[in-house]
Amino acid sequence: MSQTPINNPPRTFRAPGRVNLIGEHTDYNDGFVMPAAIDLSVFARVWPREDRKLVIRSENFSDEIEFDLDQPNPAPQQHWSDYSVGVAVMLERAGHRLRGANLQLRGEVPVGSGLSSSAAVEVATACALTSISELTIDRRELALLCQKAENEFVGARVGIMDQFVALFGQAQRALLLDCRSLEFKLLPLPDTVNLVICNTMVKHALASSAYNERRAQCEAGVKHLAQFLPNVKALRDVTIEQLERFGRDLPEVVYRRCRHVITENARVQAAGEALVQDDLHRFGELMAESHRSLRDDYEVSSRELDLMVELADKVEGVYGARMTGGGFGGSTVNIVDAAHVERFKRNVAQEYEQVMAVNPEIYVCEPSNGAEEI
Ligand code: GLA
């Protein structure tokens, strides 16, 4: 790492990846999501500098970048460091003056797996930079600034889910979040089951136009419906009956996008109730419906994700299986009876490899705490 006045030992911050149990593509529609933070994290070691430079290095990549915090019009470089630089830029723009720093990142969250390595990088960076600058920022504001970094600097119009759960997740809990009010509940997950994540090994690219296109289609739906329903600000405000009644003139594809979001919001609420009642069978049914809706109405699944879900459904002890995250590749999430996890891993991996000629990675995850200094 470049020469710098380092007198102190570094401080280290950890921010987790996440798996979303249910509530997909609802966050940017002011809706409901239910992710959990997982025990795969990004670690940021940080040393303060005397100047206003950020020198960023990652153990996962070979190069290093230098960024001047006083640079007038910073632009993204289409580089892995954009997520960290974007966070620094947004913190400064919000009036939080940062110290220069040497930042060294190490990621365990597989990139492109749909487990939100980018939000983990953003949140780890935010915690590291604000701590050494002696800034105390409310975690909700920090989540929003990290989201802004991704929206306005990196250029992916993501919602708030990933950054929020990376900051507010809790061990053994799923987080039921209202993405409009940012109020949330932490719901216990029974310890008789495991969260098992199956990585299709097909990388997804979120900044890709398909994600932003879905957002635009939802906005088009809202614009149309608001002509009849003036209180509608987002798809969160629309019921399925209202869509059926006032959405008849929508282009067919926009209608289906809206239907997914509206029914998915209802599924998240129902899934929250199922968890409270310890009804994992109901929870699993809702996951299956969510997958079908993402596949058919929202069209963000893929052949690999569909196969992974079909294979999981055949294994004993599986309550539910669905794609997780933005889609177009990435991973599935499965709720599996702890006693059947080993068989699940064996069967699913073998059969997936037979069809796809790719060996999938399967992670048995523990719901974990949000970002912290370690
Ligand atoms: C990505 C985004 C999230 C959310 C999901 C889909 O993970 O970062 O904000 O929109 O896709 O649910």
Side-chain angles (χ1 to χ4, degrees), residues 27 29-31 178-183 233-234 236-237:
D27 59 354
N29 289 297
D30 276 2
D178 177 337
C179 298
R180 172 173 277 168
S181 66
L182 298 187
E183 276 165 15
K233 302 278 175 279
R236 143 76 173 272
D237 304 313

Side-chain angles (χ1 to χ4, degrees), residues 39 58 69-70 91 103 141 145 156 201 209 216 232 237 286 288 290 292 298 350 357 359 365:
D39 51 346
S58 163
L69 286 165
D70 293 317
L91 280 163
L103 190 71
E141 186 188 344
L145 284 171
M201 310 307 278
S209 53
V232 166
D237 304 313
L286 292 160
S290 166
R292 283 194 291 271
Y298 219 64
Q350 250 171 27
N359 191 2
C365 283

Side-chain angles (χ1 to χ4, degrees), residues 22-242:
I22 195 159
E24 219 65 82
H25 290 275
T26 43
D27 59 354
Y28 52 83
N29 289 297
D30 276 2
F32 299 91
V33 293
M34 197 196 291
I38 56 175
D39 51 346
L40 293 170
S41 297
V42 168
F43 299 87
R45 291 215 292 165
V46 65
W47 296 261
R49 293 173 62 101
E50 298 304 328
D51 57 16
R52 290 256 298 158
K53 287 203 176 103
L54 290 183
V55 178
I56 311 177
R57 188 169 138 187
S58 163
E59 289 179 20
N60 304 72
F61 304 96
S62 55
D63 49 345
E64 160 179 306
I65 68 115
E66 196 173 299
F67 175 76
D68 186 344
L69 286 165
D70 293 317
Q71 188 178 313
N73 290 309
Q77 306 295 311
Q78 321 302 332
H79 190 257
W80 57 263
S81 59
D82 285 351
Y83 296 99
S84 294
V85 171
V87 166
V89 169
M90 293 308 154
L91 280 163
E92 288 264 326
R93 277 194 198 154
H96 305 297
R97 191 172 166 86
L98 298 175
R99 286 185 73 162
N102 286 355
L103 190 71
Q104 188 172 336
L105 301 168
R106 179 171 69 83
E108 299 173 331
V109 189
V111 173
S113 60
L115 303 177
S116 220
S117 58
S118 44
V121 168
E122 289 154 12
V123 169
T125 301
C127 292
L129 296 183
T130 52
S131 299
I132 60 151
S133 307
E134 280 154 42
L135 296 166
T136 314
I137 303 177
D138 172 75
R139 285 200 162 206
R140 277 191 173 80
E141 186 188 344
L142 220 47
L144 290 165
L145 284 171
C146 288
Q147 180 199 17
K148 207 166 182 193
E150 198 154 338
N151 290 170
E152 294 179 18
F153 193 77
V154 179
R157 297 186 65 206
V158 296
I160 190 64
M161 166 168 71
D162 305 347
Q163 293 80 5
F164 198 93
V165 71
L167 281 155
F168 287 93
Q170 218 180 76
Q172 289 314 319
R173 300 280 186 277
L175 183 149
L176 174 54
L177 173 67
D178 177 337
C179 298
R180 172 173 277 168
S181 66
L182 298 187
E183 276 165 15
F184 65 93
K185 284 188 202 143
L186 290 159
L187 302 174
L189 285 165
D191 53 14
T192 51
V193 292
N194 283 128
L195 296 183
V196 185
I197 295 169
C198 298
N199 185 349
T200 61
M201 310 307 278
V202 178
K203 291 198 176 184
H204 76 151
L206 257 196
S208 77
S209 53
Y211 184 91
N212 291 347
E213 182 190 81
R214 296 298 181 286
R215 279 198 76 146
Q217 289 164 334
C218 292
E219 283 160 11
V222 169
K223 201 167 163 206
H224 174 87
L225 294 166
Q227 295 169 354
F228 311 95
L229 304 159
N231 290 332
V232 166
K233 302 278 175 279
L235 286 179
R236 143 76 173 272
D237 304 313
V238 183
T239 63
I240 195 71
E241 293 76 22
Q242 288 171 329

Side-chain angles (χ1 to χ4, degrees), residues 193-322:
V193 292
N194 283 128
L195 296 183
V196 185
I197 295 169
C198 298
N199 185 349
T200 61
M201 310 307 278
V202 178
K203 291 198 176 184
H204 76 151
L206 257 196
S208 77
S209 53
Y211 184 91
N212 291 347
E213 182 190 81
R214 296 298 181 286
R215 279 198 76 146
Q217 289 164 334
C218 292
E219 283 160 11
V222 169
K223 201 167 163 206
H224 174 87
L225 294 166
Q227 295 169 354
F228 311 95
L229 304 159
N231 290 332
V232 166
K233 302 278 175 279
L235 286 179
R236 143 76 173 272
D237 304 313
V238 183
T239 63
I240 195 71
E241 293 76 22
Q242 288 171 329
L243 177 69
E244 283 164 5
R245 175 143 179 236
F246 298 111
R248 266 169 304 184
D249 295 333
L250 281 169
E252 190 265 345
V253 66
V254 173
Y255 185 92
R256 283 191 288 115
R257 303 295 189 251
C258 296
R259 183 166 61 192
H260 164 72
V261 173
I262 294 167
T263 56
E264 185 79 349
N265 274 330
R267 282 186 287 270
V268 181
Q269 306 279 26
E273 280 157 33
L275 263 195
V276 170
Q277 285 159 13
D278 227 357
D279 188 349
L280 287 176
H281 288 287
R282 177 74 188 127
F283 196 92
E285 279 166 16
L286 292 160
M287 288 173 77
E289 281 170 28
S290 166
H291 185 81
R292 283 194 291 271
S293 177
L294 287 157
R295 183 190 64 197
D296 302 336
D297 274 356
Y298 219 64
E299 295 178 285
V300 291
S301 188
S302 67
R303 217 177 116 233
E304 293 83 2
L305 288 166
D306 293 344
L307 174 67
M308 206 62 109
V309 167
E310 276 163 38
L311 296 177
D313 281 340
K314 292 197 298 188
V315 183
E316 202 187 329
V318 175
Y319 288 99
R322 58 179 285 277

